Amino acid sequence: MTITNPTQLLDEFKKSGEFDRLRRDLLSHFQRSDRTEAFKSRVDDIARQRLSSDPKLISMPNDAIQRELLGEIDRYPIVERAVADAPLLSDPSFIAGIRASLERTMSAGRGEKNNATPSQSTPNLHPCDSGNPDFNPAIPSPNGALTPSVAQKE
């Protein structure tokens, strides 16, 4: 299949298994980080506040309680903040690995042979310790494509 737009690229990227691998690796990295406890604590605080503010909630069936608590947690941007604060997402080697994986997906979509396996060009995840002040991440556009930031274009 020839990839002609970002939606097709995303579909092929997901079919290749790379999307799931990255998702699992990012979750694993977050679970090993020191930010996990603060995240869990905030979720616990929100759930406790909701339970204490509505005594009728406790007498509801478990699935209804879970639905109510998840809805309450969704009102707060704690997941978005955790993602935005993830140092790995600004790590140049991590971004380079994603770019290489996307290029392999695009090459495969054009029928080109690429002998590199995901483990050869996509680095294992590790805490970001690069501290590179000159690094400028790609900026996602509304159509989902990544474009270089202004500093990268120069």
Side-chain angles (χ1 to χ4, degrees), residues 15-75:
K15 286 179 190 175
S16 75
E18 279 295 292
F19 181 84
D20 284 335
R21 186 190 63 77
L22 288 170
R23 182 184 51 79
R24 284 190 306 271
D25 288 349
L26 284 168
L27 178 60
S28 175
H29 185 267
F30 175 75
Q31 290 171 329
R32 291 187 314 265
S33 76
D34 57 349
R35 299 170 313 143
T36 304
E37 288 307 313
F39 178 80
K40 288 179 182 179
S41 177
R42 182 65 180 129
V43 169
D44 190 50
D45 289 346
I46 293 169
R48 287 182 190 281
Q49 287 174 358
R50 178 70 170 103
L51 288 169
S52 67
S53 71
D54 188 356
K56 294 182 277 182
L57 197 58
I58 296 174
S59 63
M60 297 171 73
N62 285 343
D63 61 334
I65 295 171
Q66 181 181 12
R67 207 173 25 254
E68 286 290 323
L69 293 177
L70 287 174
E72 185 70 14
I73 291 167
D74 282 345
R75 289 185 38 218

Side-chain angles (χ1 to χ4, degrees), residues 26 29-30 35 80-91 128:
L26 284 168
H29 185 267
F30 175 75
R35 299 170 313 143
E80 290 82 359
R81 284 186 187 140
V83 170
D85 294 341
L88 187 62
L89 294 176
S90 60
D91 183 342
C128 178

Side-chain angles (χ1 to χ4, degrees), residues 119-141:
S119 61
Q120 289 173 323
S121 58
T122 306
N124 290 332
L125 302 180
H126 51 82
C128 178
D129 58 0
S130 64
N132 182 355
D134 298 325
F135 175 70
N136 292 303
I139 301 169
S141 64

Side-chain angles (χ1 to χ4, degrees), residues 103-115:
E103 288 173 0
R104 277 193 312 277
T105 302
M106 288 174 51
S107 294
R110 289 190 295 262
E112 298 172 7
K113 293 281 187 187
N114 186 340
N115 295 329

